[in-house]
Amino acid sequence: MSTELDVFVGNTTVLDEDVYQLWLDGHTVSNAVRIRMEAGALQECEANAEVLHSDTMDQFRTFQMCERLLQSPSKVANQLLFQIPPHRQTMLIERYYEFDSVFAREVLGKKLSKGTKKDLDDISSKTGIALKCCRRQHVFKVVEELKGPLVENIQRHFLLSDVLARDYAAIVFFANSRFETGKRKLQYLSFQDFAFCAGQLISYWTVGAVNNVMEDLDVDLEKEFLHDLKDLKVLVNDKDMLDQHKSLVCAQLRGKIKVFSEMEASFKNLSRALVNIASKLTHTKDFRDLFIDLVEKFIEPRRSDKWTIGDLRLFLKHYSSSVHTLEAFRHQVIWDRYMGVIKSCILKMYHD
Amino acid sequence: MPGKLKAKIVAGRHLPIMDRASDLTDAFVEVKFGNTTFKTDVYPKSLNPQWNSEWFKFEVDDEDLQDEPLQITVLDHDTYSANDAIGKVYIDIDPLLCSEAATVISGWLPIYDTIHGIRGEINVLVKVDLFNDLNRFRQSSCGVKFFCTTSIPRCYRAVMVHGFVEELVVNEDPEYQWIDRIRTPRASNEARQRLIFLMSGELQRKIGLKVLEMGGNAVVGYLQCFDLEGESGLVVRAIGTACTLEKISSTLPATATHPSNSSPSKDMKEPGFGEEAPGVPLSSGPPTPLRAQTFSSFSPSKSYSRQSSSSDTELSLTPKTGMGSGGSAGKEAGPLKALLRQQTQSALEQREYPFFPLTAFPPGFLLHVGGVVSARSVKLLDRIHNPDEPETRDAWWEEIRQEIKSHAKALGCQAVVGYSESTSICEEVCILSASGTAAILSSRFMQDGPLDTEHRLSRQPLCVFSTGSERVEGDMGSSASLGFEEVVSPGCGFCHIPYDELNIPFPAQLTYCYCCRRYKVPDVLFTTIDLPTEANVTGKGCLIQARLCRTKKKAQGEGNATVISNLLPFLEYELHTQLMNKLKLRGMNALFGLRIQISIGETMLLGLASATGVYLTALPSPGGIQIAGKTPSDITYEQHISNMQKKINDTIAKNKELYEINPPEVVEEIIGSPIPEPRQRSRLFRSQSESSDEVSELDLSHGKKDAFVLEIDDTDAVEDIHALLTDFPTPAGFYSCNTEIMPGIQNWTSAIQMFTSVRVFRLNASLTSQGLNKIFSDLCENLLKSLYFKLRSMVPCCLCHLNFTVAIPEDELIQVAVTAVAMSFDKEQLLENGKQSGEKTLIKAITENDEQLQFNLELNAETPSPNPLSSPKGLSEVGSHLSARALSVDYSSFADRCSSWIEQLKLKAHTIRRGSVKTTSSMEKASPLPEGRSRSLRSNRSYSGSSVAVVKMTPLSFIPGAKIIKYLGIINMFFIRETTSLREEGGVSGFLHTFIAEVFAMVRAHVAALGGNAVVSYSMKECVFMENPNKNQAQCLINVSGDAVIFVRESELESTSVQTQSATTHTSNGAEGT
């Protein structure tokens, strides 16, 4: 005796969010049934294992049928096969493209569109998460071929929420710029840290950030801006300017931060570290090392000097704003554009 | 040249990639109607082509418009080889032919391929310009409205009900033609789909003609079925009720047009004994073995093959038109010929079938219900040699209908309501079944006396009624003067027996009605109709199923047919025993919506009876079930029996609590005055008089055993009892019924979920009948369990119109398909309502009065009276001083049982008894929604702002909380899906899941294109699934039907009653949205 065929089709597609998550997590049907039983599904509606198995099978099959649509989410809204209320459609799509941040952290900086299948498998075994990587790869592939603003592109094509779209944008941006994120010293940084930094970079440093001309993928940093960053060197190379800058910052911070004396003593080093990072960004190699440089040359020394985050925030605030009063300095716009991003990135990355 | 059909192909989207090289498609469209074909230009290299074609115009006869579908084929242009077909869309033009239905078909329709399923969508516009055709002898019946709904449709008033219409057409099945060996599966499937479309169209047109001849303008309860007879052909048949409908003017306020809106709950919940003369002492009659009386005969088809075609004249109310039941007899046939034919007919009874496929009626229409009548007949299929002369099939059905008619007569009834016909085919054996509920319809609505030819020609209606309750009251008054009327409480009148109690067609205990105390009622009532809205019901109802699986020997031809027809009576008998047992186990006394399906396979017979059990306040409380052993010597055996007895008693008590069955009759007993005044009774005037009360009272008053006795002595009975006890109770928060409405629940929310579930079970070879029985029963129970689990988010909710269909697709396979709708209701409001209608207080009163009542009963010992079964001790006490029905089934001697059974058959009409009902046409019981609810409804509607319009589907005739403002026409679709890559499509489950989802999608899309936002009275009438896993192949046929409608939320109506018109357009716009 065996059930040969068992289907349930509702006029409005019946979707169980918990089972959907089990499916997304790549569980087998029997695994999912076990998990549901452990979660107490049998207490509902006087169900038994058979009922649960049938329901799980049926739900998995439904999701599988939906998957074709989910791969191009814009179709979900105007397809006729499944009648799904709009808020459920949004849930389906959002969950489908949600990813695990541990996984995402591993993926960062790797080339995504081709040849990474094996890499992804490695990551999968490393992070211990059974991942259906293809669906995310698919996002990257599509997005890389698109022109225009990255986040909006992702939102438009995959109908994702703002937050999730930004996360995707971060991954694509990192992959595109090939930032170094895998070094041991960077391991303490989470995916969310990087995603935040990516957001900053995309918002202020890329081509799309300045003009909304959709000529190319806007994830490329603006070449001209990177080139102009070299001009900031004057802040450390010009002795007068450096001293003037230092006295301005010291005047603002005196008595306000605990590490004032250390700051005063090492102001030249502090400034040089930040300005050097800026001036080297035109070189691809150095650019990829942006985060490692920030950590090695700025964050780690401050941490060993026991700067608090509050002190750091105050310092960075006045360090960047006091430049405005340097009459001889003529690159205020570039400076603000640079420091705005660097400041928020450092603050985000400044933790244990 | 009476019509011009215009079609415009606008665009396509989501087309499949047909050219692998470019990942694109060069699509164009062929538009075909009849023999004319137009083509669009090729739209190169796009998956979303914009053809924006000219209007293609077809000038055609309206006859063709009715028969033919518009056929749209999307193809991929290929310069070098043949063009590849992407898929097809069939559009039924019929809704456009009726002025009151849809005016245009416009929207995105799925492009369907029988091998690949849905492959993108196409946007089309279709219109019809009809020219008036005054030719009386025309062949078309444009303008006749069709409704699947088995009650008077919501926004119509029935001016007249003309009667029964039926028709069948036959053809060869393309699947079995020689050419099928050389053509592709796709070509074969398409030929079949197209043929069935044509046949349905033709059938509908012919039925329409009959309606026009009768002077009607609509068919209500249109039920069309296919018989896939394999080698011997394809039969499409339909029945319906011809009516003259009048649209209720939409300017009337909603409350006036829908009187039942207000609160039918009041009627239902009223104890219903207050105003009438109360308190007649009850008595019980002799034991009543429950008899499932069946007519089952087998006769080789040969004996009918030479039958003259004139025999089919009798099959219909209408004069035949000559081509009536033929396939395509000539156009010269007309009323003249019909006139000649009906010369032989004299009386109404002899000439026509007073059958009504309706299941719900306007108030006052249904007077009394006699019981279920059914007939079955086993036939050997023979190849239909000449499709134009299908008289063999006609004769078969005529035989059955005659049988039904005589059953009804035996029950003292002149009409059969809730009538339906069905078949089950296995190889060359076919079981034809018909069943209905014998009833007496209001004589004031009925044309009394025989209709003669003149009457007929002057198109006299058979009966006249209106749906408005205010009208009915008026009629009541006037009818009194006719001397036909007894004043009957609407809540119990239908329960009063229509037959002569001195000449009861079957053994039954009659008692005085527990509501009015004036007329006799049976102890149990079985019906095929819906519970009348005005019926007095105690507590809630529930789905009751009897399931049976019996093995049979493999046999061929006539031998096989004989074996089957010998088995049938036993099968039906056992089904009824089961039904009765389960009914009693739930403490209920009536069944509604009874549907018995018998399915035949090579080595087994399946029987499934489904019905909704309720406790009718008018009927006596059912006795308990008592188990008696045959061999009382054995102590352990005794113990076993007493354990079982205890279990049963507990179950009954639990069920009474669960379904809130606390019969109020005992309350009445206190205040009751013993006997109705003779004067009142003398006013009765009917052929089957009920005036012999006093006499029968003596007959019936001798005390009997209180309970239904099961004498167990063999495994058979143990198994039956086991089956009784293993029916799982519905989980908390769930109710279920197979009728339209559930007594005791009115406050539906707008949340509805229609679903179809299909299971196929593979059996091991060499199972005993008992083993099979258990498996089959478990299969159904588990399916129900799964449904409850799936729909648990809708709790509190009721599964309504649970429609089970069983089939034996091949040896060792059992297929069960269920279509139903889950409807949420508001629990808090339920309680409130309960209080309002006095239900709760009533219950309290009973429990409080319990002891007192017992006391009273004892005081009145000289008059036997019913026992309050609400007391837990009830069962034991019943025996001591009470007289309930005693049904004794002797399980010990199967042979005896059989012989007595057969005797019974011989003795009296082939009649399954019981059933009665009076029904209001409207189910519109949705009470006004609370504030919060209505707001959420509005937000619901904002969903239609999304790109695909939401289309609701329901097997019911109404949508809770909404008002249907327009019927757009009938949806009747037939699809075939086949695959040669079963594994790749997810196996059989994946394949069928996709197909059913596709069918839903196509129904929704066609409804939306008509401008509708819902399908009511939806049903899946056929789901034939065949697989061959070894070859990686499967095929499935699905036939669905329903009524496309536009509804608006009542909350919206209330707020903007003036804007009804704009609401309409708004809704349809929303539906048309892309």
Side-chain angles (χ1 to χ4, degrees):
Chain A
M1 267 90 40
S2 59
T3 305
E4 184 105 346
L5 181 157
D6 178 9
V7 298
F8 176 99
V9 190
N11 182 39
T12 304
T13 308
V14 174
L15 304 163
D16 184 313
E17 292 191 28
D18 298 337
V19 183
Y20 186 46
Q21 195 55 53
L22 292 172
W23 178 75
L24 286 174
D25 292 345
H27 291 286
T28 61
V29 171
S30 46
N31 239 347
V33 170
R34 192 178 43 75
I35 294 171
R36 292 182 77 185
M37 274 163 119
E38 282 162 11
L42 290 188
Q43 266 82 64
E44 287 179 278
C45 255
E46 293 150 42
N48 58 27
E50 204 179 319
V51 165
L52 207 57
H53 187 264
S54 151
D55 179 60
T56 312
M57 277 286 272
D58 195 67
Q59 289 280 300
F60 271 41
R61 192 167 47 239
T62 307
F63 300 137
Q64 221 166 312
M65 286 163 70
C66 289
E67 186 160 27
R68 194 175 49 84
L69 296 164
L70 287 168
Q71 281 167 3
S72 36
S74 53
K75 276 188 194 164
V76 173
N78 61 17
Q79 53 85 31
L80 301 178
L81 192 56
F82 300 102
Q83 185 159 277
I84 304 172
H87 69 276
R88 305 281 278 173
Q89 290 181 10
T90 314
M91 182 278 294
L92 279 183
I93 296 165
E94 189 78 7
R95 291 269 194 95
Y96 186 75
Y97 288 101
E98 237 167 40
F99 48 77
D100 186 89
S101 53
V102 179
F103 160 79
R105 178 67 185 81
E106 291 296 325
V107 165
L108 277 183
K110 295 208 161 60
K111 201 161 163 40
L112 291 158
S113 46
K114 286 200 179 90
T116 37
K117 182 82 177 78
K118 198 180 161 297
D119 290 350
L120 291 170
D121 285 344
D122 291 346
I123 295 165
S124 174
S125 57
K126 195 172 158 192
T127 55
I129 301 162
L131 289 158
K132 294 189 166 183
C133 302
C134 326
R135 58 176 179 260
R136 282 100 198 200
Q137 249 185 306
H138 170 76
V139 179
F140 309 132
K141 191 180 174 189
V142 171
V143 171
E144 281 184 341
E145 287 160 4
L146 290 168
K147 294 174 178 181
L150 184 60
V151 177
E152 281 120 273
N153 263 346
I154 293 172
Q155 272 185 291
R156 184 157 7 98
H157 280 267
F158 296 98
L159 308 171
L160 299 177
S161 71
D162 206 41
V163 178
L164 193 51
R166 278 176 202 287
D167 286 352
Y168 269 100
I171 298 179
V172 173
F173 177 73
F174 269 66
N176 191 57
S177 315
R178 312 293 314 272
F179 283 111
E180 176 59 68
T181 57
K183 285 268 165 60
R184 206 179 49 80
K185 279 186 175 163
L186 293 178
Q187 287 306 314
Y188 81 99
L189 292 169
S190 72
F191 171 72
Q192 287 311 321
D193 295 334
F194 283 118
F196 174 82
C197 299
Q200 291 291 311
L201 293 170
I202 293 167
S203 307
Y204 300 103
W205 287 7
T206 55
V207 184
V210 268
N211 50 354
N212 272 334
V213 195
M214 296 188 201
E215 42 194 21
D216 197 5
L217 184 65
D218 79 344
V219 291
D220 288 328
L221 295 178
E222 197 188 351
K223 287 263 159 46
E224 207 181 333
F225 165 69
L226 295 179
H227 186 77
D228 291 346
L229 286 175
K230 282 184 176 165
D231 299 338
L232 301 181
K233 269 189 169 172
V234 70
L235 279 174
V236 284
N237 289 348
D238 184 327
K239 182 90 170 49
D240 290 346
M241 211 177 276
L242 180 65
D243 290 343
Q244 204 182 339
H245 190 188
K246 181 180 172 180
S247 58
L248 281 168
V249 172
C250 288
Q252 292 286 336
L253 291 176
R254 193 180 311 274
K256 285 183 185 156
I257 60 173
K258 284 181 206 144
V259 288
F260 181 77
S261 51
E262 291 94 328
M263 186 277 289
E264 194 174 26
S266 60
F267 183 83
K268 192 178 170 188
N269 284 341
L270 286 167
S271 190
R272 183 173 289 146
L274 292 171
V275 171
N276 278 351
I277 289 171
S279 61
K280 289 201 301 183
L281 284 177
T282 32
H283 309 294
T284 322
K285 170 73 183 68
D286 293 313
F287 181 74
R288 284 181 188 169
D289 286 339
L290 172 67
F291 292 100
I292 192 93
D293 285 347
L294 281 173
V295 170
E296 282 182 347
K297 308 234 164 84
F298 192 84
I299 293 171
E300 280 189 343
R302 299 300 80 72
R303 240 186 330 208
S304 58
D305 286 352
K306 305 253 185 320
W307 285 42
T308 65
I309 183 99
D311 289 349
L312 189 63
R313 185 175 290 116
L314 266 180
F315 167 76
L316 287 173
K317 183 183 169 213
H318 294 290
Y319 172 75
S320 63
S321 63
S322 46
V323 168
H324 294 214
T325 42
L326 295 173
E327 280 170 22
F329 187 68
R330 279 172 293 144
H331 310 289
Q332 305 287 2
V333 178
I334 301 290
W335 174 253
D336 284 347
R337 193 174 170 189
Y338 172 70
M339 272 315 287
V341 171
I342 287 296
K343 190 174 69 184
S344 39
C345 285
I346 288 174
L347 290 172
K348 184 79 184 171
M349 292 160 72
Y350 195 78
H351 61 82
D352 292 332
Chain B
M1 189 54 54
K4 192 185 272 180
L5 170 68
K6 300 188 294 180
K8 182 183 173 91
I9 308 299
V10 183
R13 69 180 184 194
H14 305 154
L15 294 188
I17 292 164
M18 297 299 283
D19 179 5
R20 289 272 158 74
S22 65
D23 270 4
L24 289 167
T25 295
D26 305 318
F28 71 100
V29 181
E30 276 182 10
V31 187
K32 189 178 175 198
F33 191 84
N35 294 319
T36 317
T37 306
F38 293 103
K39 281 182 192 174
T40 66
D41 297 332
V42 174
Y43 193 91
K45 303 204 181 312
S46 172
L47 299 182
N48 301 292
Q50 304 289 319
W51 292 290
N52 215 0
S53 78
E54 59 188 297
W55 282 99
F56 300 122
K57 291 174 186 137
F58 303 88
E59 298 189 330
V60 280
D61 288 337
D62 48 2
E63 189 183 339
D64 287 339
L65 279 174
Q66 286 192 292
D67 288 4
E68 294 260 357
L70 179 67
Q71 189 178 322
I72 292 169
T73 312
V74 185
L75 298 111
D76 177 50
H77 175 76
D78 200 322
T79 320
Y80 305 107
S81 60
N83 298 325
D84 292 326
I86 294 173
K88 281 188 152 76
V89 182
Y90 293 99
I91 299 177
D92 184 6
I93 304 302
D94 221 50
L96 297 181
L97 303 180
C98 176
S99 54
E100 281 170 44
T103 51
V104 64
I105 293 171
S106 163
W108 289 101
L109 300 173
I111 302 166
Y112 181 74
D113 178 71
T114 61
I115 306 294
H116 294 102
I118 291 178
R119 304 177 96 190
E121 292 116 38
I122 187 167
N123 195 311
V124 295
L125 263 168
V126 183
K127 287 181 178 175
V128 171
D129 292 335
L130 269 186
F131 312 122
N132 271 342
D133 180 19
L134 299 172
N135 178 10
R136 284 176 59 88
F137 298 97
R138 63 186 185 172
Q139 297 301 304
S140 86
S141 52
C142 285
V144 174
K145 295 178 282 287
F146 284 79
F147 301 91
C148 294
T149 300
T150 56
S151 53
I152 302 303
R154 292 305 152 126
C155 46
Y156 287 94
R157 199 169 64 84
V159 180
M160 291 173 196
V161 174
H162 301 274
F164 187 61
V165 279
E166 55 74 39
E167 186 63 277
L168 68 79
V169 288
V170 299
N171 211 314
E172 271 186 90
D173 191 337
E175 185 99 339
Y176 294 89
Q177 282 165 348
W178 67 270
I179 195 169
D180 201 58
R181 291 176 194 182
I182 52 167
R183 66 181 166 193
T184 62
R186 176 182 281 119
S188 171
N189 291 339
E190 281 173 3
R192 235 173 155 193
Q193 282 190 170
R194 199 181 116 76
L195 177 70
I196 284 180
F197 253 107
L198 276 170
M199 288 170 78
S200 317
E202 183 188 344
L203 190 71
Q204 219 171 308
R205 172 172 60 84
K206 286 179 170 172
I207 292 251
L209 274 175
K210 289 186 176 182
V211 173
L212 288 177
E213 274 161 25
M214 293 164 94
N217 65 2
V219 181
V220 178
Y222 186 67
L223 174 71
Q224 190 196 62
C225 294
F226 298 98
D227 299 330
L228 301 167
E229 295 185 353
E231 291 283 337
S232 51
L234 192 63
V235 176
V236 187
R237 57 192 164 77
I239 56 173
T241 304
C243 296
T244 301
L245 298 184
E246 192 179 276
K247 193 143 178 26
I248 295 168
S249 152
S250 58
T251 52
L252 283 169
T255 43
T257 54
H258 290 266
S260 52
N261 258 353
S262 47
S263 174
S265 61
K266 263 187 192 156
D267 283 35
M268 297 178 65
K269 288 196 176 163
E270 256 168 31
F273 50 74
E275 68 279 46
E276 298 290 341
V280 171
L282 267 271
S283 57
S284 87
T288 315
L290 170 63
R291 295 301 190 201
Q293 301 192 349
T294 324
F295 161 69
S296 90
S297 73
F298 162 65
S299 36
S301 62
K302 281 156 208 150
S303 56
Y304 295 97
S305 58
R306 289 282 156 256
Q307 202 141 3
S308 129
S309 64
S310 65
S311 66
D312 83 357
T313 319
E314 289 178 321
L315 287 180
S316 156
L317 271 184
T318 15
K320 284 284 175 176
T321 57
M323 35 61 84
S325 67
S328 57
K331 302 190 176 192
E332 78 290 343
L336 277 178
K337 207 169 176 181
L339 196 139
L340 289 174
R341 284 219 193 154
Q342 62 189 4
Q343 295 298 321
T344 52
Q345 303 157 353
S346 52
L348 175 92
E349 280 79 15
Q350 283 160 7
R351 194 176 49 199
E352 69 189 10
Y353 292 94
F355 295 170
F356 299 86
L358 302 178
T359 58
F361 308 90
F365 186 58
L366 192 68
L367 287 185
H368 305 285
V369 171
V372 169
V373 286
S374 83
R376 289 183 209 282
S377 150
V378 181
K379 298 291 182 193
L380 254 193
L381 294 173
D382 198 8
R383 189 173 259 288
I384 300 167
H385 294 289
N386 181 3
D388 293 342
E389 297 287 326
E391 66 272 0
T392 315
R393 301 296 183 277
D394 268 333
W396 289 355
W397 286 113
E398 186 210 356
E399 185 190 17
I400 296 252
R401 288 173 191 141
Q402 283 294 353
E403 201 59 46
I404 289 281
K405 200 176 151 186
S406 71
H407 292 349
K409 229 175 173 178
L411 283 173
C413 296
Q414 95 281 41
V416 177
V417 293
Y419 179 74
S420 67
E421 296 175 346
S422 63
T423 58
S424 169
I425 298 167
C426 176
E427 302 290 318
E428 73 275 89
V429 178
C430 172
I431 301 181
L432 285 75
S433 310
S435 72
T437 304
I440 293 187
L441 304 178
S442 171
S443 44
R444 58 180 182 263
F445 293 139
M446 198 76 82
Q447 199 75 33
D448 76 289
L451 283 172
D452 56 15
T453 313
E454 281 75 42
H455 269 103
R456 175 55 54 85
L457 284 182
S458 63
R459 290 179 175 171
Q460 279 290 338
L462 179 58
C463 41
V464 185
F465 61 73
S466 75
T467 46
S469 55
E470 69 287 350
R471 240 323 261 288
V472 172
E473 276 162 41
D475 285 340
M476 285 253 204
S478 65
S479 61
S481 62
L482 291 171
F484 274 110
E485 205 35 61
E486 65 261 48
V487 182
V488 174
S489 141
C492 66
F494 71 93
C495 305
H496 304 158
I497 54 163
Y499 36 83
D500 185 349
E501 67 184 88
L502 287 179
N503 192 17
I504 307 174
F506 45 78
Q509 289 82 43
L510 301 179
T511 49
Y512 280 108
C513 173
Y514 276 54
C515 285
C516 66
R517 295 297 180 193
R518 285 194 289 143
Y519 305 105
K520 290 290 175 76
V521 293
D523 52 345
V524 179
L525 200 55
F526 283 12
T527 77
T528 58
I529 53 176
D530 277 327
L531 181 71
T533 42
E534 69 271 28
N536 292 330
V537 174
T538 304
K540 298 210 167 55
C542 75
L543 179 78
I544 292 179
Q545 281 193 326
R547 304 146 184 147
L548 208 61
C549 194
R550 286 287 176 257
T551 50
K552 77 166 190 67
K553 277 192 218 112
K554 230 177 200 166
Q556 292 286 311
E558 283 190 31
N560 196 19
T562 312
V563 169
I564 291 169
S565 55
N566 286 341
L567 271 171
L568 276 181
F570 301 108
L571 208 63
E572 288 221 49
Y573 175 82
E574 287 187 37
L575 282 173
H576 274 257
T577 309
Q578 252 192 54
L579 276 180
M580 189 61 116
N581 283 345
K582 292 191 176 183
L583 187 67
K584 284 178 170 295
L585 199 66
R586 284 168 177 82
M588 297 172 181
N589 58 18
L591 287 180
F592 289 89
L594 176 64
R595 187 167 161 265
I596 299 177
Q597 202 198 347
I598 289 183
S599 204
I600 40 175
E602 294 248 302
T603 58
M604 60 181 162
L605 285 174
L606 277 184
L608 181 68
S610 305
T612 300
V614 295
Y615 186 104
L616 285 177
T617 317
L619 265 50
S621 171
I625 300 174
Q626 212 170 57
I627 300 178
K630 271 268 156 161
T631 47
S633 50
D634 192 342
I635 299 252
T636 52
Y637 188 70
E638 286 277 272
Q639 244 166 4
H640 178 63
I641 293 212
S642 69
N643 278 345
M644 197 99 84
Q645 180 72 59
K646 191 176 174 308
K647 264 191 192 168
I648 287 179
N649 293 350
D650 290 350
T651 313
I652 294 178
K654 229 195 300 179
N655 278 330
K656 285 191 172 181
E657 201 175 308
L658 182 65
Y659 300 113
E660 297 161 32
I661 297 168
N662 296 282
E665 70 264 36
V666 272
V667 179
E668 196 180 345
E669 219 63 45
I670 316 164
I671 49 166
S673 84
I675 290 183
E677 289 174 42
R679 189 181 53 80
Q680 276 179 311
R681 270 177 293 119
S682 65
R683 269 177 53 196
L684 294 181
F685 180 73
R686 235 192 299 149
S687 56
Q688 288 81 28
S689 168
E690 295 180 31
S691 55
S692 48
D693 291 342
E694 290 89 345
V695 191
S696 62
E697 206 174 308
L698 295 173
D699 289 339
L700 298 167
S701 57
H702 50 92
K704 271 286 168 182
K705 276 190 283 184
D706 60 298
F708 187 84
V709 179
L710 287 176
E711 289 189 358
I712 52 165
D713 183 68
D714 53 6
T715 44
D716 206 18
V718 175
E719 184 211 333
D720 274 11
I721 291 163
H722 183 73
L724 271 175
L725 295 172
T726 49
D727 260 11
F728 295 101
T730 49
F734 274 106
Y735 291 94
S736 59
C737 62
N738 75 334
T739 47
E740 287 237 326
I741 49 159
M742 178 72 168
I745 303 178
Q746 281 84 39
N747 39 313
W748 304 110
T749 70
S750 62
I752 64 169
Q753 167 71 285
M754 189 282 294
F755 59 86
T756 291
S757 184
V758 182
R759 279 192 186 181
V760 175
F761 211 66
R762 183 172 290 281
L763 306 166
N764 280 347
S766 72
L767 271 165
T768 60
S769 268
Q770 275 177 33
L772 274 175
N773 221 11
K774 172 100 173 58
I775 286 170
F776 180 44
S777 186
D778 287 351
L779 178 56
C780 294
E781 282 293 311
N782 283 332
L783 184 50
L784 278 170
K785 270 191 164 183
S786 276
L787 297 181
Y788 295 135
F789 184 75
K790 276 252 179 249
L791 299 159
R792 64 194 183 283
S793 65
M794 294 184 73
V795 161
C797 119
C798 180
L799 304 191
C800 294
H801 215 283
L802 267 167
N803 187 9
F804 276 69
T805 323
V806 290
I808 306 172
E810 58 185 83
D811 236 10
E812 291 171 16
L813 287 186
I814 297 180
Q815 177 188 316
V816 182
V818 188
T819 297
V821 62
M823 304 208 291
S824 284
F825 57 89
D826 224 320
K827 198 147 205 183
E828 280 147 42
Q829 212 191 331
L830 175 76
L831 289 174
E832 220 171 275
N833 275 1
K835 240 178 240 162
Q836 276 167 6
S837 62
E839 189 188 66
K840 287 284 156 189
T841 39
L842 194 69
I843 290 163
K844 225 186 263 169
I846 290 162
T847 38
E848 277 168 4
N849 288 337
D850 223 6
E851 270 175 90
Q852 193 188 345
L853 292 174
Q854 303 272 344
F855 180 63
N856 275 343
L857 286 172
E858 251 140 4
L859 280 183
N860 299 340
E862 67 272 14
T863 49
S865 42
N867 187 56
L869 283 171
S870 51
S871 112
K873 295 178 292 178
L875 281 181
S876 53
E877 283 166 10
V878 169
S880 58
H881 57 105
L882 245 232
S883 50
R885 292 115 312 281
L887 291 192
S888 121
V889 177
D890 187 356
Y891 277 86
S892 58
S893 58
F894 186 68
D896 282 355
R897 191 173 83 200
C898 296
S899 60
S900 70
W901 161 245
I902 283 156
E903 255 176 46
Q904 191 67 40
L905 269 181
K906 284 179 194 155
L907 264 171
K908 251 304 166 187
H910 314 288
T911 311
I912 299 164
R913 78 166 138 134
R914 281 97 211 272
S916 81
V917 161
K918 179 150 73 177
T919 306
T920 353
S921 73
S922 87
M923 304 290 151
E924 201 111 4
K925 30 189 33 322
S927 47
L929 293 154
E931 262 311 297
R933 182 72 55 187
S934 57
R935 227 174 286 126
S936 74
L937 291 180
R938 262 187 215 112
S939 70
N940 248 359
R941 253 177 72 84
S942 72
Y943 287 166
S944 60
S946 89
S947 47
V948 178
V950 172
V951 175
K952 297 218 174 204
M953 289 166 77
T954 175
L956 307 181
S957 63
F958 67 100
I959 290 170
K963 183 173 186 289
I964 293 169
I965 54 167
K966 193 171 186 183
Y967 282 79
L968 297 164
I970 202 166
I971 294 283
N972 186 7
M973 299 172 104
F974 180 88
F975 298 103
I976 301 175
R977 182 85 146 76
E978 189 166 351
T979 183
T980 50
S981 51
L982 189 58
R983 272 187 297 277
E984 294 77 357
E985 295 196 32
V988 284
S989 295
F991 170 72
L992 193 62
H993 194 145
T994 312
F995 185 35
I996 294 174
E998 284 172 341
V999 170
F1000 285 4
M1002 287 186 276
V1003 170
R1004 286 193 301 259
H1006 280 263
V1007 170
L1010 287 169
N1013 56 3
V1015 190
V1016 295
S1017 299
Y1018 168 83
S1019 74
M1020 185 167 83
K1021 285 180 300 199
E1022 205 80 60
C1023 177
V1024 184
F1025 179 76
M1026 287 160 288
E1027 57 168 331
N1028 190 342
N1030 297 332
K1031 285 187 175 171
N1032 208 15
Q1033 286 174 345
Q1035 191 194 37
C1036 187
L1037 297 82
I1038 286 182
N1039 175 221
V1040 296
S1041 66
D1043 294 326
V1045 299
I1046 302 174
F1047 73 86
V1048 287
R1049 290 267 162 233
E1050 269 167 9
S1051 49
E1052 282 160 26
L1053 270 182
E1054 280 160 27
S1055 53
T1056 59
S1057 58
V1058 195
Q1059 296 174 355
T1060 312
Q1061 213 58 38
S1062 64
T1064 317
T1065 46
H1066 180 87
T1067 320
S1068 54
N1069 281 347
E1072 277 167 30
T1074 57

